Amino acid sequence: MDKKKTLLEFFAENKFIHTILSIVIGFLVGAVFLAVMGISVSEAYGKLFQSVFSNVKSLSYCVVYATPYIATGLSVAFSFKTGVFNIGAEGQFVVGSMSACVVGILCGNLPSVVLIPLCLLAAAAAGAVWGMIVGFLKTKWGINEVLSMIMFNWIAFYLSNYIAGIPAIHSDGTAEATKNIAANARTLLPTELINSLGLCNTANWGIFLAIVMTVLVYFIIEKTTLGYELKAVGFNRSSAEYGGINVNRSILTALAISGALAGLGGALQLMGMGGRISVFSSQEGFGFAGIVVALIGVSNPLGVFIAGLFYGALTYGGGKLTLVGAPTQVVDIIVGTVVFFIAISCIFEYLKYLKRTKPPVAPPPEGGEEPGKEADA
């Protein structure tokens, strides 16, 4: 006989509902902080949503902001699916963007049809190699991948600054940045199309590549033998190895693909928006934001795509909060709260597990005596 699901089981099985509820709670917590600071909640949130949905230009800005977040979110989500926590997407993003930048500067005479794919290929290859190095350290000597990735994030940071200072790459002016990549390497939409549609001046083709990446990641994970093997390793490495799957090779493959996705994110940011790379004073955070996007999207490729758009909209709209006297950090409070409540969703799974494994209690007999006790004489 079917029994009704409890509220606990409902939240444990419906991740989409849990995510929506987490977002609502995030905005409520943000509202509390705004109220404490004496700022009108309706005015602040009104400005936030108006900045995003007021016109086509604002929406196009949100899409442009979201594109690299979608790429890094897919990178982290892919590694999550295969049981590896890719906290190194930041470093992979950086080496990917710098590789695309070097190619875009040194090979600027090539036509766009050749140069753009070459920049993307260089970025993907650099990100893949950066991920595989960590995978090799893990599979060869058992070095923890999280610690390795954190260190490689900083190595990528300083390596990028070093390359930016090379005379052939460094800006000819006084700016502490690289030269601008060649116009042939940019992925901007034609000016006529931007003006006719009323888009932002940095509207580019990157979002279409992000869509292709989303479909490709879904296809690999859900429709291929490789995806099956990678997920099997993620669920239980010992069982996967017992079933004949090469676990070490799967880890290397997962980190290579994950790194390539993050590297492509760096290229999309550079070729669509930045045009050059500044000497970093601190980490930009695109890779770390990818972790947030992957969590909000529950590691589902389509969910990550939507979460990337959501995060991009918050990033763009949050920058307009200063117009009403509200700090932009309110967005960080909202996002942090959302991630917190999504992250604790495992508690529902654990409680559901405890409920299922708890032995049933036998009902007392009809006479009212507890089982195991004799009636008083």
Side-chain angles (χ1 to χ4, degrees), residues 77-118:
F78 187 88
S79 64
F80 277 168
K81 283 286 188 180
T82 56
V84 179
F85 180 38
N86 184 14
I87 200 174
E90 177 71 14
Q92 296 151 12
F93 180 95
V94 169
V95 296
S97 62
M98 180 53 75
S99 298
C101 183
V102 170
V103 173
I105 293 172
L106 300 182
C107 303
N109 294 328
L110 295 174
S112 297
V113 69
V114 176
L115 185 56
I116 290 177
L118 190 61

Side-chain angles (χ1 to χ4, degrees), residues 206-333:
I207 187 62
F208 298 104
L209 183 57
I211 293 173
V212 172
M213 292 164 63
T214 302
V215 174
L216 186 61
V217 168
Y218 172 80
F219 181 79
I220 291 175
I221 292 177
E222 302 295 340
K223 303 296 181 181
T224 66
T225 303
L226 173 63
Y228 173 80
E229 292 180 351
L230 295 178
K231 287 192 296 183
V233 173
F235 285 133
N236 192 311
R237 292 182 184 179
S238 299
S239 298
E241 189 172 16
Y242 181 79
I245 297 175
N246 189 324
V247 173
N248 289 341
R249 185 181 64 188
S250 296
I251 292 174
L252 286 172
T253 302
L255 286 175
I257 296 175
S258 181
L261 292 169
L264 284 172
L268 294 178
Q269 168 67 11
L270 169 75
M271 299 162 67
M273 243 186 123
R276 65 177 183 177
I277 297 176
S278 300
V279 174
F280 297 130
S281 58
S282 63
Q283 296 191 17
E284 291 188 299
F286 284 99
F288 299 122
I291 300 174
V292 174
V293 171
L295 286 172
I296 296 176
V298 294
S299 297
N300 179 285
L302 179 59
V304 168
F305 184 85
I306 297 173
L309 294 175
F310 170 73
Y311 195 91
L314 279 183
T315 303
Y316 173 71
K320 308 298 182 182
L321 288 177
T322 54
L323 298 177
V324 295
T328 58
Q329 287 77 10
V330 171
V331 170
D332 297 329
I333 294 173

